[in-house]
Amino acid sequence: MSNDNGVRVTHAAAQAQAAETIASIPSVLSEYSCTLCKKVFMSYSDLKYHYETEHADAVLPVTVKLHVNGRDCEVLVEPQSTLKQTLQFKLGLTGAKEMCNEGACGSCTVIMDGRAVLSCTLLTVECEGKDIQTVEGIAADPKWKPLVDAYCKWDAMQCGFCTPGFLVTAKALLDRNPHPTEEEIKDALAGNICICGTYPRHSTAILEAAAIMAKGGLVNG
Amino acid sequence: MADLVGVNGQREHFRVVGKPNLPGVLSYALATGIAKFGIDYTAPDMLHAKFLRSPYAHARIVSIDTTRARALPGVVDIVLWDDPDLMKLGASPFGPPKSYLGNVAHQELQEVGAIVVAETEDICNEALRLLDVKWEVLPHVVDLKKGMQPDFPAIRTPEDEGPPDMFSARNPNDPPKRGNVSYVSKIEGNIEEGYRQADYIIEYDTNLPAFASHIPNPPASIAWWFDDPYHGPGKSLRIEGAVQRRENIARMYGMPPEKTVQEGLFQGGKYCDWGMRMSQEITPLLAKRTGRPVRCANTREETFDFLMNQRFMHIKVGFTKDGLITVVDDNSIADNGRPGNSSFGVANDQGYGPYYTFKCENISQKYTVVDSNRGKMYLSGQHCPFNWDAGTMAIALIAEKLGKDPVEIAKLNLHGPTSQKDPNPVPSFEACLETGKKLMNWNWHPSRAKRLPDGRLHGSSFRYQICPRHAFSGYDCKLELRDGKVHLPTQGPCTGIYAVEANAMVVAEELGLQYEDIVVDFDYREKFTPVGGGSDGTTASSWATKECANILKRKILEAAIEEAENPPPPSMFGFGAPRQPSPFKGRKPEELDMADGKVVLKDDHSVGVPLAQATAKNIFATYSGRPPAAIWSLGMGKMLDTMNTAWCEVAVDEETGVVEILKLGVVADPGKVMRLTSLESQIDQVMFFSQGCQLLEDYFYDERTGVRLNNNMIEYKKPTMVDVPDVTRKFLETRAGNAAYGASGISHSLANTHLIIIAIYNAIGVWVDPPATPDKVLKALGKA
Ligand code: FES
Ligand code: FES
């Protein structure tokens, strides 16, 4: 993040980094590595045969096709892997944060087929073919700059660990309701926990962003 | 007692300091999720590690058979507590050899006995299940009152005790430890005499539940070793996730600091919980053993440590018919937690706690400290502010007894600014009270005396606190004018308090620049960190930055004159227009100033040269020191400068027991507002934090097994967006703190346990211990 201007991260820098992270999402599986002994195979059927012969008691990983932040990708995961784990360990996307890992805090929120969902409570195999947007996808999309700007201007974050989850939930709200009231914002964000207590900042930021985006006609393109 | 000896301490005009809505230097990284916390890091070919954790509240591992676990495909390493590597890591020059990882667990879920390293976390968990562990279950204490019974078996052996905590309170006259109980006392003045002077004596109990140390980001680290011949022979260590503790990790592994790399900046929320977890320390060892990067992360369940231990306080207060307190007799039972528990919040606050501001000099504090298997508070917890409310309750009860406004009782009992014997009012306190009363439309009534139109009972409360002057540690600042730009190098970290932003604002203020002009260079090798003891210690770092900025300024002005007199020869590679002759020729540095991004003539700002052209030199300034009159450096003298007040109104439904907060108000004196938006946010944080403690949060244990029943975010409740009221805030600027311009850090001093509880008492006339859940309110009303 360092440059001639120190590490003052601008929107442009964050946007570029998010875009770069998305660009490095691996698209198709070119090799199939055994989780247990690290042997590499060139096809899934070879891997399957390897499991049958070498690790008969172990659970065979499966391949899943996802559509993440506009990119098609394929992952080899354990059937019990959550979407949160897949995003972090297979796709290098760490914007969805793990605070509770049990669906109680909203830090891991992503948007799936237009709805805000908790990636820690979804199995990756359930997400086959789904359209998933993470905070990186929102950050990389210039039309959501007003929302990110408002979050930064109003310090709608302290430690910042819960913040991406809030921002994703806010984006999902604005997608379906570009002019929310304060009450509607509170209801939409009621499932997001901020231990640093930044709550009042979010409605301020979202209301401001909604007003700016309405003027620029930016919500929903 | 502000900054009298510092430069520009009394500055009157501010262009930058105090401005709202300036994004933090790392805000965009946080909002967009590109910021990485310890738990987020991954590395190619990475392994995962997990500690064995005790299913019992107190148990010894007799043996572990690893055969089945080792046979599990994907398991790479299993390290047992008596492994030479763990013995080496735990070695200390004092006492007998000790492993880094014990074989005795003093708390359910404590790391104990074994570490498993495997290809995935799932395999780690499976391998842990396959360990054949022979446990010897030992007696446990999760109910303090049972554990302190004379016939209850002692749960600690002398070997369990680590070296004494440097902060633990000691009194040579205290009785020796007996069973699970030790005693700590502090007696000041003449208690008998205090009772004699009293017209009334009240007795009350203040019970504090344990609160969770709710670090938002579960602690985690990743480490690997790599070749780095430029910094000497042998491998270098890369560790992420132990932010601000790089040097400790280096020491732990016998590494020179220059061969220990940690680039991550984001520490996450700490809330005075500065202790490192084992998952943040162990990965270098495991990476060395396996030759691969290793990641180790706590789960949320494993992250439910204490921020504040349980405490039962039984207090007797004597006072005159005017309300002047003559004696405080405090007998507390405090949870000593498991071995290694921080003494902050146990008995440490005796010297610096609830009665610190009272004129009354007859104070007896006797603490019965009970060893337990309930949990551990890591350094250092929200100690003083939380315990403060024993005094707040005394004021509320005296007010109730005498039918007088508690604000008046507080005023009567507060000592003066310079010492306990100073009879003068504290200006900051007086100002907070006046503003607070207006803000809240304050009209106190005795308990059960006011009903709202909807039939609910109305209650109100008020509380004050000091801004503790923590700035006892020094700060080593460096500023650089490099290629025409001012750089502020710092190791960070980013803890969510926007500390370095306030430093950058101060530098900009002093150098006639804008906040955006200051280049903040985060570099883990730098010495300067804006974080100090508590919020005040952190704010006090701005004082040192201000001094440093003025040293840099002097050097810049000297260089500008020097180059005006002796212009540097044009560079042979120089391009563009030749340098203009300097307008400062024949002038002296004292005749110059810096304003609007330029070096200017002091008496005529229209004559100036942009900073980047005023000198071709790169200039460095350093300053090491701390602001004057930090309270800890003055032997904890009882001084009062900047103060804060918090106010609350509630409505209590007698039918349902539901408490609604109608209004939370804060009138705080941060001395001088530095970074407004962040200050507002921190006030919200501390008020919501306290709301959670008073209305929602508590630990539940199964007494038979000692197992905690609600260490998860579904059953351990934290306030959400729909639970919290608006906090009405007003900031006063008395310039009486000891950071730059008389600022003072305040937020954690507003942490409270009884502001809402007292308002509930004022409404219903009976006490409800926190958390005041509807069932407890109904029970207190005799309805359940
Ligand atoms: S981490 Fe998924 S909801 Fe908390
Ligand atoms: S900003 Fe720290 S948890 Fe929300």
Side-chain angles (χ1 to χ4, degrees), chain A residues 11 14-25 67-71 87 91-96 109-112 131-148 164-165 167-169 171-172 175 213, chain B residues 28-34:
Chain A
H11 179 265
Q15 186 183 347
Q17 188 162 339
E20 200 180 304
T21 309
I22 294 169
S24 45
I25 291 176
H67 188 70
V68 181
N69 294 324
R71 281 178 63 98
L87 292 173
L91 302 180
L93 297 171
T94 55
T109 305
V110 299
I111 297 173
M112 189 159 84
D131 184 20
I132 293 160
Q133 187 175 38
T134 68
V135 69
E136 288 89 348
I138 300 168
D141 183 346
K143 83 177 176 191
W144 291 100
K145 181 174 183 294
L147 182 62
V148 180
L167 193 105
V168 173
T169 314
K171 190 264 180 187
D175 268 342
M213 293 170 93
Chain B
Y28 279 97
L30 293 166
T32 58
I34 64 171

Side-chain angles (χ1 to χ4, degrees), chain A residues 84 96-109 117-121 161 191, chain B residues 713:
Chain A
K84 167 72 191 80
K97 306 293 183 190
E98 178 190 315
M99 187 191 287
C100 73
N101 201 26
E102 59 189 356
C105 76
S107 297
C108 64
T109 305
V117 295
L118 303 172
S119 61
C120 75
T121 59
F161 192 68
Chain B
M713 288 184 69

Side-chain angles (χ1 to χ4, degrees), chain B residues 150-223:
Chain B
D151 55 346
F152 200 94
I155 56 168
R156 286 196 196 174
T157 63
E159 302 84 69
D160 293 333
E161 307 275 1
D165 183 330
M166 64 184 278
F167 297 111
S168 50
R170 281 181 213 100
N171 179 345
N173 300 324
D174 290 331
K177 184 170 181 179
R178 189 174 42 77
N180 295 316
V181 181
S182 32
Y183 304 91
V184 188
S185 66
K186 184 171 185 219
I187 297 166
E188 289 173 340
N190 184 335
I191 306 305
E192 304 280 298
E193 180 55 26
Y195 277 120
R196 263 196 298 279
Q197 289 168 3
D199 297 314
Y200 301 103
I201 293 167
I202 47 170
E203 242 175 295
Y204 60 97
D205 290 292
T206 304
N207 296 329
L208 306 182
F211 306 133
S213 164
H214 232 117
I215 300 171
N217 42 313
S221 74
I222 183 169

Side-chain angles (χ1 to χ4, degrees), chain A residues 99 156-163 166 193-198 202, chain B residues 216 268-269 271:
Chain A
M99 187 191 287
M157 66 203 85
Q158 288 222 14
C159 81
F161 192 68
C162 70
T163 319
F166 273 89
I193 289 186
C194 173
I195 295 174
C196 299
T198 54
H202 295 273
Chain B
Y271 317 127

Side-chain angles (χ1 to χ4, degrees), chain B residues 515-768:
Chain B
Y515 165 67
E516 293 79 6
D517 295 332
I518 307 302
V519 183
V520 180
D521 294 322
F522 283 101
D523 184 336
Y524 66 90
R525 290 160 294 205
E526 287 295 343
K527 261 304 180 213
F528 176 65
T529 170
V531 177
S535 49
D536 182 61
T538 296
T539 312
S541 71
S542 64
W543 190 90
T545 328
K546 173 171 65 67
E547 299 304 300
C548 195
N550 281 284
I551 295 169
L552 182 71
K553 180 174 171 180
R554 181 173 46 75
K555 289 184 167 190
I556 290 171
L557 301 184
E558 285 168 1
I561 293 297
E562 194 185 312
E563 289 180 31
E565 299 301 333
N566 305 298
S571 157
M572 63 187 287
F573 301 113
F575 297 102
R579 245 175 98 147
Q580 296 296 316
S582 169
F584 305 138
K585 198 164 166 47
R587 299 285 188 162
K588 296 201 174 68
E590 309 82 81
E591 293 173 67
L592 304 186
D593 202 350
M594 292 175 74
D596 304 325
K598 294 177 185 164
V599 174
V600 294
L601 278 183
K602 222 179 225 168
D603 48 16
D604 182 0
H605 283 201
S606 69
V607 180
V609 178
L611 175 60
Q613 290 155 31
T615 170
K617 284 185 175 161
N618 292 324
I619 299 175
F620 300 79
T622 59
Y623 179 83
S624 290
R626 63 182 179 204
I631 209 162
W632 287 26
S633 62
L634 294 177
M636 309 286 278
K638 291 191 174 178
M639 297 184 302
L640 301 176
D641 41 42
T642 55
M643 299 193 64
N644 312 305
T645 54
W647 313 71
C648 173
E649 272 185 59
V650 296
V652 183
D653 186 328
E654 285 185 287
E655 296 307 312
T656 61
V658 170
V659 176
E660 184 191 351
I661 301 176
L662 301 174
K663 197 166 178 184
L664 279 181
V666 169
V667 178
D669 175 14
K672 168 83 190 95
V673 175
M674 305 198 76
R675 192 168 184 281
L676 180 65
T677 321
S678 158
L679 175 61
E680 289 169 347
S681 206
Q682 289 198 38
I683 299 293
D684 289 347
Q685 169 183 3
V686 73
M687 296 310 285
F688 300 156
F689 209 93
S690 303
Q691 176 185 342
C693 296
Q694 287 169 80
L695 296 182
L696 299 170
E697 298 178 40
D698 200 355
Y699 275 109
F700 296 100
Y701 292 82
D702 174 45
E703 224 204 289
R704 196 176 53 82
T705 59
V707 166
R708 286 173 300 177
L709 300 174
N710 63 335
N711 52 339
N712 61 74
M713 288 184 69
I714 294 174
E715 287 155 309
Y716 187 103
K717 296 287 183 199
K718 279 275 174 190
T720 69
M721 185 91 108
V722 288
D723 298 318
V724 299
D726 283 342
V727 180
T728 315
R729 325 171 207 91
K730 272 253 182 285
F731 298 125
L732 308 178
E733 296 192 323
T734 62
R735 309 283 296 269
N738 70 337
Y741 318 120
S744 181
I746 59 168
S747 63
H748 91 186
S749 65
L750 281 158
N752 63 82
T753 53
H754 279 71
L755 178 71
I756 302 167
I757 295 292
I758 291 171
I760 295 170
Y761 170 75
N762 185 243
I764 65 175
V766 276
W767 286 108
V768 186

Side-chain angles (χ1 to χ4, degrees), chain B residues 394-417:
Chain B
I395 290 166
L397 284 165
I398 295 170
E400 189 68 30
K401 174 89 183 163
L402 300 179
K404 282 188 173 178
D405 187 339
V407 171
E408 296 308 314
I409 303 294
K411 273 166 91 164
L412 182 70
N413 280 289
L414 192 81
H415 66 68

Side-chain angles (χ1 to χ4, degrees), chain B residues 127-448:
Chain B
L128 289 172
R129 277 192 287 275
L130 291 174
L131 289 174
D132 289 308
V133 186
K134 202 163 157 208
W135 298 95
E136 180 194 353
V137 180
L138 303 168
H140 65 261
V141 173
V142 291
D143 178 338
L144 299 185
K145 291 186 178 167
K146 277 196 184 152
M148 61 192 278
Q149 309 276 331
D151 55 346
F152 200 94
I155 56 168
R156 286 196 196 174
T157 63
E159 302 84 69
D160 293 333
E161 307 275 1
D165 183 330
M166 64 184 278
F167 297 111
S168 50
R170 281 181 213 100
N171 179 345
N173 300 324
D174 290 331
K177 184 170 181 179
R178 189 174 42 77
N180 295 316
V181 181
S182 32
Y183 304 91
V184 188
S185 66
K186 184 171 185 219
I187 297 166
E188 289 173 340
N190 184 335
I191 306 305
E192 304 280 298
E193 180 55 26
Y195 277 120
R196 263 196 298 279
Q197 289 168 3
D199 297 314
Y200 301 103
I201 293 167
I202 47 170
E203 242 175 295
Y204 60 97
D205 290 292
T206 304
N207 296 329
L208 306 182
F211 306 133
S213 164
H214 232 117
I215 300 171
N217 42 313
S221 74
I222 183 169
W224 64 90
W225 298 83
F226 63 101
D227 291 313
D228 177 20
Y230 297 113
H231 289 103
K235 297 268 185 197
S236 285
L237 168 64
R238 172 79 183 263
I239 171 130
E240 295 298 345
V243 177
Q244 253 217 328
R245 294 291 183 272
R246 182 180 69 96
E247 289 183 8
N248 303 41
I249 295 285
R251 266 196 300 279
M252 200 173 155
Y253 288 94
M255 293 295 293
E258 65 276 13
K259 285 184 74 72
T260 310
V261 177
Q262 177 166 190
E263 293 185 348
L265 298 172
F266 300 95
Q267 189 171 39
K270 291 299 279 181
Y271 317 127
C272 286
D273 176 342
W274 298 102
M276 291 285 282
R277 306 308 195 259
M278 283 181 157
S279 62
Q280 294 170 283
E281 295 176 332
I282 197 64
T283 48
L285 172 70
L286 305 175
K288 187 162 250 178
R289 286 171 65 103
T290 58
R292 289 168 62 182
V294 177
R295 172 184 187 265
C296 185
N298 279 28
T299 63
R300 170 52 58 189
E301 288 72 16
E302 295 159 359
T303 310
F304 270 79
D305 301 298
F306 288 161
L307 188 59
M308 175 75 206
N309 294 22
Q310 187 177 34
R311 182 183 291 195
F312 304 101
M313 304 171 87
H314 181 76
I315 299 167
K316 273 165 96 174
V317 174
F319 55 98
T320 65
K321 46 184 179 302
D322 298 332
L324 185 70
I325 296 171
T326 59
V327 64
V328 176
D329 197 347
D330 174 346
N331 288 279
S332 294
I333 299 167
D335 179 8
N336 204 27
R338 68 150 141 118
N341 181 78
S342 163
S343 72
F344 274 114
V346 178
N348 171 274
D349 54 308
Q350 284 186 124
Y352 188 66
Y355 320 115
Y356 188 85
T357 61
F358 289 168
K359 281 176 190 151
C360 173
E361 294 183 33
N362 307 316
I363 310 261
S364 165
Q365 297 177 80
K366 290 185 182 159
Y367 284 31
T368 302
V369 179
V370 187
D371 295 342
S372 84
N373 307 100
R374 290 169 54 85
K376 175 174 172 180
M377 183 170 86
Y378 284 76
L379 187 81
S380 64
Q382 289 280 9
H383 38 285
C384 311
F386 275 149
N387 300 341
W388 200 271
D389 283 349
T392 312
M393 269 177 87
I395 290 166
L397 284 165
I398 295 170
E400 189 68 30
K401 174 89 183 163
L402 300 179
K404 282 188 173 178
D405 187 339
V407 171
E408 296 308 314
I409 303 294
K411 273 166 91 164
L412 182 70
N413 280 289
L414 192 81
H415 66 68
T418 57
S419 74
Q420 201 178 14
K421 294 200 187 301
D422 183 347
N424 295 307
V426 180
S428 175
F429 184 64
E430 301 287 312
C432 285
L433 290 184
E434 280 322 300
T435 312
K437 281 160 101 175
K438 280 194 206 117
L439 183 81
M440 299 297 285
N441 205 7
W442 180 250
N443 186 13
W444 180 80
H445 57 76
S447 62
R448 295 195 72 86

